[in-house]
C-alpha cells in the first residue's frame, strides 16, 4: 500500500520517524508521500525522502499560511523541486474554515504555485476546506493540470467536476466514521481509477483509533473500507489504488 499524504516531519507527533516507517512496512505500507506546507516543512519532507527509501516528498505552501507567503518563498520551493524524490507540488489551495488568510492572499499563493507546478511538470495536491465552489471557479479559469483534492469533502457534483477535469480525490480516515455515509456512497460509485488513499497523519485517524495519533500504517483501514465499498478483496483494492498512486505521482 501507498500512503499518499502524511506529515512525518511533525516531531511532536513523530519523534522517531524511523519507527513510524518501520511500523508502516510491517503493516504492508511500503511507500508514503510526505507533504510540505511551507518552505521549512518542504525542506524537511525532502530530508526525510533522502533518509528513507520508502519516503517521497512534495513541496508547497498551505493556504492557511498564505498571509506570510511571498514570491521569495517560491524561490525556495524551486530549489527543492529538482530533488529526484519530489513528486508533486502541494499542498496548496483554499481554506475558508480557518480565518488565517484572506481570499485575496490565498489567491496569490494559489495562482503562483499553480503556474510553478505547470512549469516543472509536477502534479498538484489540493487542500480545500469549506471553499470548493470558490476553488473550482478559480480552476475553471486555469489550464488543466493533474491534481488531487486531498481529503475530499465536497459534494457529488463537485466530485463529478473533478473526474470530468481528469482529477483524483483523496480518501482518508473520515470514510470510516459513522456519520460519513454520504462520502461512502460517493466513493462506492466513483471511477475506480480516480481515487487515492491517504492518512493525513498525524491527523484524521480511522474510527478504530479516533483520538489517537494517526500513522501511515493505518492507511490499511482506508484500503479496507474502499475495498468493501467496491465489493473487492482488499488485495484487489490495494492493487487498484497503488496503481492510481503510481500513475499520479510517477513512481
Amino acid at each position: 500500500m501507498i500512503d499518499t499524504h502524511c506529515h512525518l516531519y511533525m516531531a511532536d507527533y513523530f519523534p522517531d520517524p524511523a519507527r513510524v516507517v518501520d511500523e508502516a512496512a510491517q503493516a504492508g505500507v511500503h511507500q508514503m508521500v510526505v507533504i510540505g506546507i511551507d518552505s521549512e516543512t518542504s525542506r524537511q519532507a525532502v530530508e526525510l525522502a533522502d533518509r528513507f527509501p520508502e519516503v517521497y516528498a512534495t513541496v508547497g505552501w498551505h493556504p492557511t499560511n498564505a498571509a506570510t507567503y511571498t514570491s521569495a518563498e517560491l524561490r525556495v520551493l524551486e530549489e527543492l523541486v529538482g530533488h529526484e524524490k519530489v513528486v508533486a507540488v502541494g499542498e496548496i489551495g483554499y481554506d475558508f474554515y480557518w480565518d488565517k488568510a484572506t481570499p485575496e492572499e490565498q489567491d496569490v499563493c494559489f495562482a503562483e504555485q499553480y503556474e510553478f507546478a505547470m512549469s516543472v511538470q509536477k502534479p498538484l495536491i489540493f487542500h480545500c476546506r469549506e471553499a470548493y465552489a470558490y476553488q473550482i471557479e478559480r480552476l475553471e479559469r486555469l489550464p488543466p493540470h493533474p491534481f488531487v483534492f486531498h481529503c475530499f469533502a465536497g459534494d457529488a457534483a463537485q466530485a463529478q467536476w473533478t473526474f470530468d477535469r481528469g482529477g483524483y480525490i483523496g480518501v482518508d480516515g473520515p470514510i470510516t466514521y459513522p456519520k460519513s455515509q454520504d462520502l461512502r456512497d460517493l466513493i462506492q460509485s466513483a471511477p475506480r481509477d480516480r481515487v487515492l488513499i491517504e492518512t493525513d497523519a498525524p491527523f484524521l485517524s480511522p474510527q478504530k483509533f479516533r483520538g489517537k495519533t494517526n500513522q501511515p500504517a493505518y492507511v490499511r483501514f482506508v484500503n479496507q473500507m474502499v475495498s468493501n465499498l467496491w465489493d473487492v478483496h482488499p488485495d484487489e483494492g490495494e492493487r487498484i489504488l497503488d496503481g492510481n498512486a503510481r500513475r499520479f505521482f510517477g513512481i
Side-chain angles (χ1 to χ4, degrees), residues 1 197 219-229 232 234:
M1 280 168 283
I197 56 172
V219 79
R220 67 189 188 274
F221 298 104
V222 182
N223 176 67
Q224 185 176 45
M225 176 59 75
V226 172
S227 298
N228 288 345
L229 293 170
V232 299

Side-chain angles (χ1 to χ4, degrees), residues 153-166:
D155 60 27
Q158 291 158 346
Q160 188 59 54
W161 182 92
T162 299
F163 302 141
D164 292 344
R165 181 86 168 190

Side-chain angles (χ1 to χ4, degrees), residues 5 35 58 61-63 88-95 110-111 113-115 117 122-129 132 135-136 138-140 142-153 161-162 165 167-170 198 248-249:
H5 195 115
I35 310 295
T58 76
W61 201 274
H62 196 281
V89 172
E91 62 190 278
I92 76 170
Y94 289 89
D95 192 312
F110 181 80
Q113 290 184 94
Y114 194 99
E115 183 177 353
K122 299 288 185 183
L124 283 153
I125 313 294
F126 288 157
H127 170 102
C128 189
R129 191 168 186 188
Y132 279 91
Q135 185 159 337
I136 286 173
R138 293 299 184 275
L139 286 169
E140 287 179 336
L142 295 167
H145 191 72
F147 71 91
V148 57
F149 271 116
H150 140 71
C151 191
F152 185 80
W161 182 92
T162 299
R165 181 86 168 190
Y168 294 72
I169 59 176
E198 57 181 56
F248 179 74
F249 290 110

